[in-house]
Amino acid sequence: MVQIKKNRKFFDFDAIEGRKSLTDTIMNEMKPEDTSLVLNIGDADPDDSYSTVAYEKGFTFLLYLERLVGTPEFESFFKAYIATFSGETLTSEDFRDFFIQHFQGNKKVNEIEWDVWLYGRGMPPVLPPLDQSMAKASKDLASLWVAVDREGKAPPTKNDMTSWSSPQITCFLDALHVATEDKPLQISTLQAMDNLYHLAESQNSEILFRYCQLAVASEDSSILPVALRFITSQGRMKFVRPLYRSLYKSRFGRKMAVETFLKNKDFYHPIATKMIAMDLKVSGSGPSILTTNPWVLTGVAVAVVGVSIAFLRGRK
């Protein structure tokens, strides 16, 4: 979209969602020792340490580097990196050394705290600013619904989402999640919202997942058939694991979450089965898909996967 629209704002708008995913993963899912870019897990199962951290924290690091040295210069580095190491397996240290060598003489490179970025736990030490203008309408609508819920304001009567893209709707739902973390929405607010926008009927997994999460947090038991159908009709761990976890924590959904998982556990990928079983405290196992040196794999995640995300976002 950046190339088609010739507008960098599309890149930043896409990255906003990734940053929220990173924050949720670090704050709610992973152990502190599993939130570094370079992991030292010893003999532990790599599956237990794998998450979106490598992707989104790696992307954030690469965005920081791009902003530091300039986009044309960073793209030149990327081309040289691919030309030099195509077909090889690298570590994060190889990436660091090649970057320093490529930008030899550039004083800005001295500002990079490599050890903090690669080995530090938690959120990245620097969060490059993201243009929020494309997200403004989504966040404004979320604020309006929070006011409906908290202050008794009249709910909207016009469906503003009819002309919105899917990312704008997910941005709206993400903003609602952030605003209601401490105090979930009232069920009456959710019902009014769904009557207007028909979110529970969405065929878009990103939208339906987020709405289900909001509804479960509010203990809206009417969402249970929708949520159960969703987690048994597709098996992406980014959707099913958080939703199973939320149902398990709820008052109305715990029993059905366990029963549904046990009935459908063979439907999911072995890693998803293993992780969900841990969350629900039931029996479940699956083989590890990561059999290579985890230090090398993490290096690949940082230096290759993160770069790929950055460039894919730049060319949407």
Side-chain angles (χ1 to χ4, degrees), residues 74-124:
F74 186 80
E75 290 185 349
S76 175
F77 156 76
F78 176 67
K79 292 175 182 177
Y81 180 82
I82 295 298
T84 303
F85 299 112
S86 177
E88 297 185 31
T89 300
L90 304 170
T91 66
S92 298
E93 289 74 17
D94 294 328
F95 173 84
R96 177 198 61 199
D97 295 344
F98 187 76
F99 187 93
I100 293 173
Q101 177 187 346
H102 183 87
F103 288 102
Q104 189 174 7
N106 188 327
K107 294 182 179 179
K108 291 183 178 179
V109 174
N110 296 330
E111 301 176 21
I112 305 170
E113 296 182 281
W114 290 97
D115 285 350
V116 178
W117 275 103
L118 296 179
Y119 311 112
R121 299 176 176 183
M123 291 295 288

Side-chain angles (χ1 to χ4, degrees), residues 86-87 101-103 162 180 198 205 237 255-256 265 272 298 300:
S86 177
Q101 177 187 346
H102 183 87
F103 288 102
T162 53
T180 60
H198 307 291
S205 293
M237 189 160 68
K255 182 174 182 290
M256 286 303 300
K265 65 179 183 178
T298 305
V300 174

Side-chain angles (χ1 to χ4, degrees), residues 8-67:
R8 182 77 178 185
K9 292 180 180 180
F10 283 92
F11 179 95
D12 286 31
F13 182 65
D14 189 39
I16 291 171
E17 180 182 332
R19 185 167 294 178
K20 183 181 184 301
S21 175
L22 174 64
T23 303
D24 290 344
T25 301
I26 288 178
M27 298 300 181
N28 303 320
E29 295 184 18
M30 304 307 295
K31 299 176 182 177
E33 58 268 27
D34 292 332
T35 60
S36 303
L37 279 178
V38 177
L39 302 176
N40 182 13
I41 63 174
D43 295 329
D45 189 341
D47 295 344
D48 296 339
S49 303
Y50 175 77
S51 72
T52 59
V53 169
Y55 298 94
E56 294 298 344
K57 193 172 184 179
F59 163 78
T60 302
F61 183 32
L62 293 168
L63 180 60
Y64 163 75
L65 294 176
E66 178 189 347
R67 297 269 179 91

